[in-house]
Amino acid sequence: SANPTSAQRRAQSRGTLKERFKEVRTAADAMSLLRAEVNNNPVGALKQMGLETTENRSGYKVSNSGSMLIQLGLQPGDVILSVNGQTLGNFEDDQMLLEQVANSGQARLEIQRGNRRFVVNHTIR
């Protein structure tokens, strides 16, 4: 495996993403932390958020009950299909989408739970 970059070592030394989220007091701070983590290590950030890629790369699956997304009403096995109408599954596009969400302050998540689809709206302040 490759040696971690200095930015990756600093992020790891501050604890897990979940531990650092416990110290966040505003949604804007949460978005800043998330953007930095995703830009630094997208696959690792997904894993730390309790997400994994789906087999067909059409969204992200909530992988465990420890996911920070449980606070939004998601459950293990739920698949986040899109955010603000944009399909998920391509890391580069998803990073740009994260920036758009951070700038707009609005996230409309399309979720699939079993055979049912529903929307979760979340305002970031």
Side-chain angles (χ1 to χ4, degrees), residues 77-117:
D78 286 353
V79 177
I80 305 170
L81 299 171
S82 69
V83 175
N84 294 348
Q86 294 186 9
T87 304
L88 298 175
N90 177 298
F91 287 138
E92 288 181 17
D93 292 343
D94 297 345
Q95 286 176 317
M96 289 188 304
L97 180 57
L98 181 60
E99 290 295 326
Q100 292 171 0
V101 168
N103 292 333
S104 73
Q106 300 290 320
R108 182 180 187 273
L109 309 172
E110 181 185 4
I111 309 298
Q112 182 163 346
R113 180 177 293 157
N115 293 326
R116 198 179 107 207
R117 287 187 183 198

Side-chain angles (χ1 to χ4, degrees), residues 5-109:
T5 66
S6 61
Q8 289 170 328
R9 285 190 300 271
R10 281 193 308 273
Q12 291 168 351
S13 69
R14 294 187 312 256
T16 67
L17 183 60
K18 187 174 181 179
E19 289 167 346
R20 286 180 282 144
F21 257 103
K22 290 178 184 176
E23 299 173 11
V24 168
R25 298 294 173 236
T26 68
D29 289 345
M31 288 302 298
S32 293
L33 175 61
L34 186 57
R35 280 196 314 257
E37 191 71 26
V38 167
N39 288 333
N40 186 39
N41 180 3
V43 175
L46 282 174
K47 186 175 181 178
Q48 288 190 58
M49 287 186 293
L51 294 173
E52 58 190 43
T53 56
T54 59
E55 290 179 18
N56 59 3
R57 309 276 290 169
S58 62
Y60 300 107
K61 182 178 177 181
V62 178
S63 61
N64 63 50
S65 60
S67 172
M68 293 174 274
L69 297 168
I70 300 299
Q71 296 173 8
L72 296 178
L74 301 184
Q75 299 175 2
D78 286 353
V79 177
I80 305 170
L81 299 171
S82 69
V83 175
N84 294 348
Q86 294 186 9
T87 304
L88 298 175
N90 177 298
F91 287 138
E92 288 181 17
D93 292 343
D94 297 345
Q95 286 176 317
M96 289 188 304
L97 180 57
L98 181 60
E99 290 295 326
Q100 292 171 0
V101 168
N103 292 333
S104 73
Q106 300 290 320
R108 182 180 187 273
L109 309 172

